[in-house]
Amino acid sequence: MTKTIYDELIEREDLVLPGNTSCPGCGSILALRYVLKALGKDTIIVIPASCSSVYQAIFPYSSIKVHIFNTAFASAAAVASGLKHALVAKGYDDVNVLVWGGDGGLIDIGFATVSGAAERNEDIIVAVYDNEAYMNTGIQRSGSTPPGAITTTTYAGKSEEKKPMPYLMLLHGVPYVATASSGYPLDLYQKVKKARNIHGFRFLHIFAPCPPGWRFDDSKTVTVAKLAVETGYWILWEAEQTDHGLNFSISGPSRPYIDPARRKPLEDYLMLQGRFRNISPEKINLIKKYIDNQWEFIKRFLE
Amino acid sequence: MITESKGTVKVITGNAAAAWGARLSRPDVIAAYPITPQTTIVETLARWVDTGELKAHMIRVESEHSAMAAVMGASAAGARTYTATSSQGLLYMAEMISWAAGARTPIVMSVVDRALGPPWNIWSEHTDALMLRDSGWILFWAANNQEVLDSVIQAYKIAEHKEVILPAMVMHDGFILSHTTMPVEIPKQELVDEFLPPYDPPHYVMNPKVSPPITFGNIALPADYVKFRLSIEKAMKNAKKIIKKVAAEFKEFFGRWHGDLVSYYNTEGVDTIVIALGNVAEQVEATIDSSKELKKRAGVVKVRAFRPFPKEEIANIARKVSNIVVIDRDISFGWGGILAGEVRATLHEFRVDTPVYSKIMGIGGDEILPEHIEKSLNEILR
Amino acid sequence: MTQELDHLILPISHPKIGAGGKTGAWRVFRPIIDENKCIKCLLCWIHCPENAIIVKQRDQIPQIDYEYCKGCFVCADVCPKDAIKKIREGI
């Protein structure tokens, strides 16, 4: 029997332990399983205030089987920078330093910190799991919340648009930027494996549906994530700086949707989630505009 | 008899002295963000790193909050670290300062005291660092440029001591010390290496190559949290002993003494003691020195370590005199002078009923001149 | 403070399966894999957010660890053969 990706995945140790305190159906911890499978045990995770701070469970136990340093909200990418420099200064060159946080800690309050670390090309991986709101504190809107989404601080649905984080990071010109999704764990695994072998600042933006926050049944996490890709809302791509310039590619699962005619109707995606209940046509159009802008933006990298 | 020189004397600013103190202590990682009047510390260190004179990783972070975050992360991985800041920057990193104390990362930081805005003010005042007195950091005030250099080196030995393991700040006055030059003996590197061995964390290291996985800092229930905080308090208590030990060792190695928790000037046979932090105390010493009458009646206790607070030393000397005057280059709005408040509380705790007079001077870098000090003392001594 | 306390008591936790307790108790419904329908595609194992499905080698019917399975049913949602039954707990 030839060895396949499945054999590899079975062999690679699962460093996320069952019996943790994540919500049933959590998109974030599902993604973390694959990030850690790819990085392996020589990894330190810096975790800012986020759902991931909480699903480690309570002292004296932890549910993640790698070194973790929990830190204050905006500081994760800076703590990771210091950690990595110290390890190298002490002669330990091949320890992965990963930042694992939500859109709150890495796109809003920690944005300057992430941007600074990117500008300095710190040798760390910053991975955002985007559940599109401040979920840990009870579902308040973030810069990454899409227009029309109901959160506890946007009762009438968010008016503003979604901060285009992965594109902002792409424009920082760092060695590796990729988008991924909890709905496509194998794609995520391959991307983290690739990132592991690249030096310098690496950024991963992972789509992570949240059953309690987005108001859908626990079992639908993967379905919702897939629909996001199938409607063209979430685009899976990767961008690697090489000696010959930027190597930008749309990942397999998103390729069919380069053609707008093949995308599923956005309403199929919105309908599954209570947070888009009563969304106005104007706000649906804002989301459609966001989708179109993304595809328009990445076109220039496809030439 | 000619004794072998322990170093080279240079005429340098307080900031240069701080940079030298850091350089001689061999930090592995430095992360700092510029702010007047600290900037020349960072610039000096950056230059030395780029020329190779200082082998350290220098992270030119984008904010003070990130500076403290970065040195904390580096220290957690077992590195010796250094940073520096002032006023606004210090308060910006306040959250991380607290986190670093709780993470038991023995960072040493220079704080160049500066008044807080608004309006913008770049001159010296002690309120900035005093605002962090509850943070769990050991706090030193340096009175002159030599003491700045020496205190940074001592601070590493104290902070990294196995019975302490707490971060430490060394304060020096903005412009008064940071930008004025004094002769400073820069000790030989070999001597400092002997005095200060490499950092060897006794508690944890964030490094999967040297230990099995641990999670630092996830949620803890109240009953457990209490134990962690009391542990910091115990370390602070141990620090009192260690500060004295290290100051004595330093004197043996380098031949210099700046005091340990406090230092005493002309305190025998006087009826009044003036208590002040760091350089303010030196100003008072100089004032008393110039007046025969004052010298008969007043002595000075320079508070060198504000945390852990030298309660016993202050209570003991207060018992022997009729008046205590505390000069604060700071103010806690709605309360008064911070040092005065702590002295008063100490005397009450130790049942000493010597009256304490509080004078607040030098706010916002306002000059503290000998005539101001003389006038204040004469009012009290009448 | 009367108690003699160690000065180095730190908030350091250690990894453990079941750090959050026996999370199987969270279940309202229990997923059961129908071994007759299962084609061993392993998609349930891949997509389990809890890592509560055990697969030791490729050609194997996955085993659900009921001590920790929270009953989210993502496994049932991704199963291409509808091979996962949903039974109410406590019956």
Side-chain angles (χ1 to χ4, degrees):
Chain A
M1 202 163 47
T2 47
K3 203 167 170 218
T4 66
I5 181 78
Y6 290 88
D7 296 293
E8 187 181 324
L9 289 173
I10 292 169
E11 250 172 50
R12 300 284 300 171
E13 194 183 351
D14 260 300
L15 296 165
V16 171
L17 305 174
N20 56 67
T21 44
S22 62
C23 299
C26 172
S28 166
I29 204 167
L30 171 53
L32 186 61
R33 262 188 80 192
Y34 290 90
V35 172
L36 291 181
K37 250 194 209 294
L39 291 179
K41 61 180 185 57
D42 284 340
T43 300
I44 303 175
I45 320 181
V46 178
I47 297 187
S50 55
C51 287
S52 50
S53 329
V54 172
Y55 60 58
Q56 293 164 55
I58 299 179
F59 171 87
Y61 303 118
S62 169
S63 58
I64 316 280
K65 207 173 156 191
V66 291
H67 275 71
I68 296 182
F69 191 89
N70 282 282
T71 185
F73 213 0
S75 65
V79 174
S81 303
L83 247 170
K84 182 65 183 181
H85 276 275
L87 288 166
V88 171
K90 291 295 185 190
Y92 298 97
D93 286 313
D94 51 1
V95 174
N96 300 307
V97 176
L98 168 74
V99 171
W100 180 253
D103 45 308
L106 299 173
I107 299 179
D108 283 359
I109 199 172
F111 183 73
T113 318
V114 170
S115 178
E119 181 267 320
R120 294 189 304 272
N121 198 25
E122 299 285 1
D123 191 14
I124 60 178
I125 303 176
V126 173
V128 186
Y129 60 87
D130 191 356
N131 48 28
E132 298 191 331
Y134 304 150
M135 291 309 185
N136 185 36
T137 41
I139 320 166
Q140 293 87 24
R141 67 85 107 189
S142 78
S144 204
T145 305
I150 297 172
T151 64
T152 57
T153 45
T154 54
Y155 185 76
K158 187 184 178 197
S159 346
E160 298 83 11
E161 298 179 56
K162 183 179 167 85
K163 192 188 279 198
M165 186 65 175
Y167 306 99
L168 294 170
M169 296 317 297
L170 177 60
L171 289 174
H172 277 66
V174 293
Y176 186 75
V177 180
T179 57
S181 168
S182 305
Y184 299 90
L186 269 52
D187 173 74
L188 169 60
Y189 175 78
Q190 303 287 30
K191 283 168 174 165
V192 178
K193 247 179 91 176
K194 184 186 280 191
R196 189 185 75 204
N197 296 321
I198 295 174
H199 282 279
F201 189 86
R202 292 143 286 165
F203 184 81
L204 283 145
H205 195 145
I206 305 167
F207 188 75
C210 168
W214 299 9
R215 309 277 193 245
F216 61 80
D217 185 78
D218 298 349
S219 64
K220 295 278 173 252
T221 301
V222 174
T223 298
V224 168
K226 287 198 163 131
L227 267 171
V229 169
E230 291 160 357
T231 51
Y233 173 79
W234 192 259
I235 310 175
L236 296 172
W237 51 262
E238 53 186 330
E240 192 182 344
Q241 296 284 355
T242 69
D243 296 326
H244 315 288
L246 182 67
N247 183 1
F248 185 97
S249 62
I250 305 229
S251 314
S254 272
R255 288 232 188 90
Y257 310 107
I258 300 177
D259 177 6
R262 299 185 61 185
R263 294 174 203 163
K264 288 195 177 159
L266 182 62
E267 285 75 7
D268 287 1
Y269 169 70
L270 300 179
M271 213 170 60
L272 270 182
Q273 305 167 59
R275 64 175 173 151
F276 292 115
R277 179 180 68 240
N278 300 329
I279 182 173
S280 68
E282 294 78 43
K283 289 189 179 148
I284 295 184
N285 282 335
L286 280 179
I287 303 180
K288 287 184 174 162
K289 193 180 80 161
Y290 173 77
I291 295 175
D292 292 336
N293 286 347
Q294 283 187 88
W295 288 101
E296 199 51 46
F297 183 78
I298 60 182
K299 244 200 236 165
R300 77 190 72 187
F301 297 102
L302 295 177
E303 273 105 49
Chain B
M1 185 178 83
I2 299 173
T3 52
E4 198 198 307
S5 102
K6 298 187 194 272
T8 320
V9 177
K10 290 194 183 189
V11 178
I12 57 175
T13 61
N15 278 0
W20 270 107
R23 168 173 162 172
L24 290 164
S25 305
R26 298 197 190 272
D28 300 298
V29 179
I30 300 170
Y33 191 80
I35 179 169
T36 309
Q38 156 265 44
T39 33
T40 53
I41 303 180
V42 184
E43 292 169 349
T44 308
L45 291 168
R47 190 180 76 239
W48 285 336
V49 167
D50 278 1
T51 59
E53 287 167 79
L54 170 55
K55 290 212 179 339
H57 284 238
M58 181 133 184
I59 313 178
R60 284 107 172 147
V61 283
E62 76 295 338
S63 81
E64 285 93 346
H65 190 276
S66 290
M68 182 51 58
V71 293
M72 177 181 73
S75 183
R80 178 173 285 161
T81 60
Y82 178 77
T83 186
T85 191
S86 284
S87 79
Q88 312 295 144
L90 185 69
L91 293 199
Y92 187 36
M93 56 156 82
E95 165 193 49
M96 298 315 300
I97 284 174
S98 186
W99 206 275
R104 308 301 291 274
T105 45
I107 301 159
V108 170
M109 169 163 70
S110 282
V111 176
V112 187
D113 276 316
R114 168 184 148 176
L116 293 159
W120 286 120
N121 177 316
I122 53 173
W123 298 280
S124 180
E125 193 188 297
H126 295 164
T127 313
D128 59 354
L130 284 170
M131 277 182 130
L132 278 318
R133 64 194 185 277
D134 302 329
S135 61
W137 280 60
I138 294 170
L139 305 179
F140 289 110
W141 257 265
N144 53 65
N145 295 356
Q146 182 73 66
E147 194 177 345
V148 172
L149 192 158
D150 295 346
S151 293
V152 170
I153 298 175
Q154 287 189 36
Y156 277 108
K157 194 154 188 182
I158 296 160
E160 293 174 2
H161 195 281
K162 292 190 190 316
E163 290 178 45
V164 179
I165 307 286
L166 284 177
M169 286 183 214
V170 179
M171 269 55 81
H172 62 270
D173 290 67
F175 289 103
I176 296 170
L177 295 181
S178 68
H179 284 65
T180 58
T181 54
M182 298 179 194
V184 173
E185 180 176 275
I186 297 169
K188 289 187 175 152
Q189 181 71 72
E190 311 84 75
L191 220 58
V192 179
D193 289 341
E194 224 191 299
F195 175 76
L196 181 66
Y199 174 42
D200 181 23
H203 51 333
Y204 72 94
V205 185
M206 279 283 138
N207 187 345
K209 299 282 199 192
V210 306
S211 83
I214 51 170
T215 288
F216 181 85
N218 58 326
I219 300 181
L221 294 176
D224 290 312
Y225 178 88
V226 171
K227 294 188 195 123
F228 305 135
R229 302 314 256 189
L230 288 180
S231 166
I232 296 175
E233 183 58 14
K234 181 67 162 62
M236 268 288 181
K237 287 194 151 60
N238 291 353
K240 276 192 185 169
K241 193 178 67 201
I242 304 301
I243 289 171
K244 291 185 178 149
K245 188 158 168 279
V246 168
E249 268 176 48
F250 192 89
K251 180 164 186 222
E252 264 195 59
F253 261 82
F254 302 95
R256 282 190 295 277
W257 172 263
H258 304 286
D260 42 46
L261 294 169
V262 298
S263 75
Y264 303 95
Y265 170 81
N266 194 43
T267 53
E268 293 296 318
V270 293
D271 64 66
T272 299
I273 291 285
V274 183
I275 305 182
L277 274 181
N279 180 262
V280 180
E282 257 191 28
Q283 302 296 327
V284 182
E285 288 171 21
T287 306
I288 288 174
D289 226 16
S290 65
S291 157
K292 281 211 190 81
E293 301 83 50
L294 279 178
K295 202 156 182 180
K296 283 193 209 124
R297 299 199 53 192
V300 182
V301 169
K302 178 187 81 175
V303 173
R304 181 169 176 262
F306 187 86
R307 284 290 184 270
F309 195 74
K311 289 183 181 179
E312 290 81 9
E313 286 75 6
I314 286 178
N316 287 338
I317 197 139
R319 279 195 190 97
K320 301 182 187 154
V321 299
S322 321
N323 305 297
I324 300 266
V325 180
V326 181
I327 300 183
D328 269 282
R329 198 187 195 116
D330 60 79
I331 181 166
S332 174
F333 295 117
W335 169 253
I338 295 171
L339 181 58
E342 306 241 332
V343 167
R344 286 186 170 134
T346 299
L347 297 197
H348 182 87
E349 190 183 327
F350 285 74
R351 308 277 188 265
V352 179
D353 58 12
T354 312
V356 176
Y357 300 90
S358 166
K359 291 281 167 200
I360 295 179
M361 293 184 185
I363 294 293
D366 207 24
E367 285 191 281
I368 302 179
L369 296 173
E371 43 260 45
H372 302 145
I373 299 174
E374 258 196 80
K375 181 162 171 281
S376 296
L377 288 181
N378 286 332
E379 268 172 25
I380 293 158
L381 299 180
R382 220 156 292 127
Chain C
M1 201 166 32
T2 51
Q3 200 185 349
E4 254 314 300
L5 248 156
D6 188 352
H7 66 292
L8 274 182
I9 301 180
L10 264 71
I12 293 176
S13 299
H14 296 272
K16 181 176 114 124
I17 293 177
K22 297 273 193 262
T23 51
W26 298 17
R27 278 199 310 275
V28 179
F29 290 91
R30 166 184 289 244
I32 299 182
I33 297 175
D34 184 339
E35 304 203 352
N36 299 316
K37 290 187 181 170
C38 174
I39 56 167
K40 301 171 202 164
C41 68
L42 305 187
L43 285 177
C44 56
W45 167 73
I46 288 181
H47 293 92
C48 174
E50 193 65 21
N51 183 24
I53 297 182
I54 302 163
V55 162
K56 291 268 164 52
Q57 61 200 52
R58 238 194 327 135
D59 195 28
Q60 183 192 32
I61 296 185
Q63 301 297 312
I64 297 176
D65 184 346
Y66 292 105
E67 278 209 323
Y68 300 110
C69 164
K70 291 169 177 163
C72 71
F73 284 88
V74 169
C75 52
D77 190 58
V78 300
C79 176
K81 290 295 175 186
D82 225 1
I84 301 185
K85 296 194 285 239
K86 187 168 175 173
I87 311 287
R88 204 167 221 288
E89 282 289 0
I91 290 176

